[in-house]
Amino acid sequence: VIHVNEMPDPVIRRLAQYLEFAQNEREAGSEWVSSVQIADALGLTPSTVRQDVSHLAISGTIGRTRGYRTDELEEVLAKELGMERETNVAIVGAGDLGRALARHGGFLRRRFKVCALFDNNPRLIGQKVGPVSVRSMKQMAEIITKERVELGVVAVPEGAAQQVTDLLIGARIKGILNLTLVHLAVPKDVTVVDARLVASLQELLCRKRMRETQRASTAKQRRRSKCEA
Amino acid sequence: VIHVNEMPDPVIRRLAQYLEFAQNEREAGSEWVSSVQIADALGLTPSTVRQDVSHLAISGTIGRTRGYRTDELEEVLAKELGMERETNVAIVGAGDLGRALARHGGFLRRRFKVCALFDNNPRLIGQKVGPVSVRSMKQMAEIITKERVELGVVAVPEGAAQQVTDLLIGARIKGILNLTLVHLAVPKDVTVVDARLVASLQELLCRKRMRETQRASTAKQRRRSKCEA
DNA sequence: TAGATTGTTAATCGATTAACAATC
DNA sequence: TAGATTGTTAATCGATTAACAATC
């Protein structure tokens, strides 16, 4: 926060992991962690870790022989990730996924507060889901302003995604988490992050199958060269 | 599938989006889409699209003036993503998230079939969730083999994630979707994809706040230079 | 002191973009 | 034919990794 507010996207994506690890380490009683330890735990190289940390406002000096203080890492990362205060979130779409997210403990623990859940299905409106009730999308702009909602989550079927996004933008939301597979068109002052839930499963299957055919073909090659020998 | 089974990770990650778009276009009645159209719709450059498509077994010849056939794109992408047959999935963790995923229509539509849901909470075991019942983790290996489950989804609290992963690996699962924030350690014949659900929301907040402070500081600079002028 | 570890520079690697010949 | 668009090569850009001086 002190020396840079330019940070490459891949670095930002690793921040949450670093925080998670630092927290766990501190809670387990470790006062220090080195770049090698972090790298091993998170499947990175120590170089990457040190480059990433250099983007942070870590007060460290060169040449320490014990690495980074877990509590300092935790503090700086939490600040960088905006955890010094609660962030209000609205979820649009009270289907299975939207309702699950509204109740998901993992968000609250990281200081996200789901304070509104919208849907257009009259059967769902009024229903209590975890800490909130489902409300009509017609009330979206009003409630978002009143409740000081900062982030919107799009958890509706693909066909409604862009429409809902436009509503959120109309309500002056500047940050949107997209749970659908469709690409959302937004003005350039709005930030979108794709959660890639279904896409991840498809990516997984594709990569797994690809590795298997690779293995199969190398095995075949091996057998062949064995025969030739 | 024909000419390459080496594909860079970023390309694989875009495959699901291409498929989604091609499907929608075909259903809307378009017979052809060009790289420019795809790029515009998905927020990419036409160059990237053409590079990506070149990894696919598209039977096209150079110089067509109408782009790619939507039905051909759809077919090839579906095949590449392993959609020619159903894929059996097991979800571990019957909390809000696990239950929501078990019922999520988006998976079924893409030919993923959730055919097992595991949890250790005796209160949940036996409960019906969408098409399946919650079963004890003790039965995991047995059921995974019997039901020919190919992919596992880790939807448990952070503290149990590695343990559950080891169980899945013990049951010979070679592809794991990780819904937690912790990094999963797996042998190198196992593929893991991180779904980054909570991490995405944290990433979103971080990026949004960063853009705002940038805008604020440039606005300040602008005001300053105005004063000086 | 010797060993360990950071911060940073430079080298490498890989992905994206630009450009354009081929051609429908 | 003129215009459009692909497939592919080369250029650019950016991220990751290696290396090492500084120093605790």
Side-chain angles (χ1 to χ4, degrees):
Chain A
V1 195
I2 297 172
H3 63 121
V4 236
N5 52 17
E6 253 314 318
M7 213 183 284
D9 271 16
V11 180
I12 297 179
R13 253 172 256 132
R14 287 188 288 265
L15 256 35
Q17 282 191 279
Y18 290 138
L19 176 58
E20 189 67 21
F21 179 70
Q23 265 168 349
N24 289 340
E25 284 298 300
R26 185 187 51 74
E27 275 161 24
S30 306
E31 215 179 321
W32 302 87
V33 282
S34 70
S35 55
V36 176
Q37 283 175 291
I38 298 175
D40 286 348
L42 266 41
L44 307 166
T45 66
S47 276
T48 302
V49 174
R50 290 203 295 274
Q51 285 277 22
D52 288 356
V53 172
S54 78
H55 289 280
L56 261 30
I58 289 283
S59 65
T61 34
I62 214 167
R64 278 175 309 175
T65 57
R66 286 174 296 183
Y68 310 101
R69 288 196 67 94
T70 49
D71 55 0
E72 193 190 359
L73 261 186
E74 199 184 335
E75 194 196 310
V76 172
L77 284 164
K79 199 173 218 172
E80 197 65 47
L81 285 165
M83 279 173 67
E84 73 281 9
R85 58 182 166 96
E86 230 167 37
T87 299
N88 290 335
V89 175
I91 297 173
V92 191
D96 291 319
L97 210 54
R99 288 205 306 273
L101 295 178
R103 281 188 298 238
H104 187 47
F107 290 122
L108 207 57
R109 205 158 359 104
R110 284 156 191 113
R111 308 205 65 185
F112 292 104
K113 190 184 156 203
V114 176
C115 55
L117 176 57
F118 300 102
D119 207 294
N120 263 344
N121 185 340
R123 277 197 208 163
L124 295 174
I125 293 172
Q127 243 186 48
K128 194 92 187 165
V129 177
V132 292
S133 302
V134 181
R135 284 182 279 192
S136 163
M137 292 202 197
K138 290 196 190 95
Q139 300 181 270
M140 197 191 288
E142 182 200 337
I143 291 169
I144 280 178
T145 309
K146 211 179 82 191
E147 303 261 4
R148 300 172 183 281
V149 170
E150 196 174 342
L151 303 177
V153 178
V154 176
V156 296
E158 257 86 30
Q162 185 61 55
Q163 223 172 309
V164 155
T165 303
D166 297 341
L167 281 177
L168 284 169
I169 292 167
R172 303 220 148 58
I173 287 289
K174 301 294 182 210
I176 294 175
L177 182 70
N178 177 22
L179 286 169
T180 76
L181 238 165
V182 302
H183 175 80
L184 301 179
V186 297
K188 57 183 175 325
D189 65 332
V190 176
T191 308
V192 176
V193 170
D194 294 313
R196 300 177 46 76
L197 197 60
V198 182
S200 296
L201 200 58
Q202 292 189 298
E203 179 192 338
L204 174 64
L205 182 61
C206 182
R207 276 171 48 178
K208 175 176 171 285
R209 294 256 171 94
M210 223 141 65
R211 291 183 63 176
E212 275 161 6
T213 59
Q214 255 169 43
R215 225 188 320 280
S217 65
T218 37
K220 213 188 282 175
Q221 276 168 19
R222 232 178 293 125
R223 270 197 306 280
R224 203 182 298 143
S225 53
K226 222 178 186 176
C227 290
E228 284 163 3
Chain B
V1 197
I2 296 172
H3 62 121
V4 236
N5 52 17
E6 252 314 318
M7 211 181 287
D9 271 16
V11 180
I12 297 180
R13 252 172 255 131
R14 286 188 288 265
L15 257 34
Q17 282 191 279
Y18 291 137
L19 176 58
E20 189 68 21
F21 179 71
Q23 266 169 347
N24 290 340
E25 284 299 299
R26 186 187 52 72
E27 276 161 23
S30 307
E31 215 179 319
W32 301 87
V33 282
S34 70
S35 55
V36 175
Q37 284 175 290
I38 299 175
D40 286 350
L42 267 42
L44 307 166
T45 67
S47 275
T48 302
V49 174
R50 291 204 293 276
Q51 285 278 20
D52 288 356
V53 172
S54 78
H55 289 278
L56 261 31
I58 290 284
S59 65
T61 34
I62 214 167
R64 278 174 310 175
T65 56
R66 287 175 296 183
Y68 309 102
R69 287 196 67 95
T70 49
D71 56 0
E72 194 192 358
L73 261 186
E74 199 184 334
E75 194 196 310
V76 172
L77 284 164
K79 199 173 219 173
E80 197 65 48
L81 285 165
M83 279 173 68
E84 74 280 11
R85 59 182 166 96
E86 231 167 36
T87 299
N88 290 336
V89 176
I91 298 173
V92 191
D96 291 318
L97 211 53
R99 289 204 307 272
L101 295 178
R103 282 188 298 238
H104 187 48
F107 290 122
L108 207 57
R109 203 156 4 100
R110 285 158 191 111
R111 307 203 67 184
F112 292 104
K113 189 182 156 204
V114 175
C115 55
L117 176 58
F118 299 101
D119 207 294
N120 264 343
N121 184 341
R123 278 197 207 165
L124 295 174
I125 293 172
Q127 244 187 48
K128 192 93 185 163
V129 177
V132 292
S133 302
V134 181
R135 283 181 280 192
S136 163
M137 292 202 196
K138 289 196 191 96
Q139 300 181 268
M140 196 189 289
E142 181 200 337
I143 291 169
I144 280 179
T145 309
K146 211 180 79 190
E147 303 261 4
R148 299 170 183 281
V149 170
E150 197 174 342
L151 303 178
V153 178
V154 176
V156 297
E158 257 85 32
Q162 185 61 55
Q163 222 172 312
V164 155
T165 303
D166 296 341
L167 281 178
L168 284 169
I169 292 167
R172 302 217 150 58
I173 287 290
K174 302 292 182 210
I176 294 175
L177 182 70
N178 177 21
L179 286 170
T180 75
L181 239 165
V182 301
H183 175 80
L184 301 179
V186 297
K188 59 184 172 325
D189 65 332
V190 176
T191 308
V192 176
V193 170
D194 293 313
R196 299 177 46 76
L197 198 61
V198 182
S200 295
L201 199 58
Q202 292 188 298
E203 179 192 338
L204 173 64
L205 182 62
C206 183
R207 276 171 49 177
K208 175 176 170 284
R209 294 255 173 95
M210 223 140 66
R211 292 183 62 175
E212 276 161 5
T213 59
Q214 255 168 43
R215 225 188 318 281
S217 65
T218 37
K220 213 189 278 176
Q221 275 167 21
R222 231 178 292 126
R223 272 198 304 282
R224 203 182 298 144
S225 52
K226 221 176 184 177
C227 290
E228 283 164 4

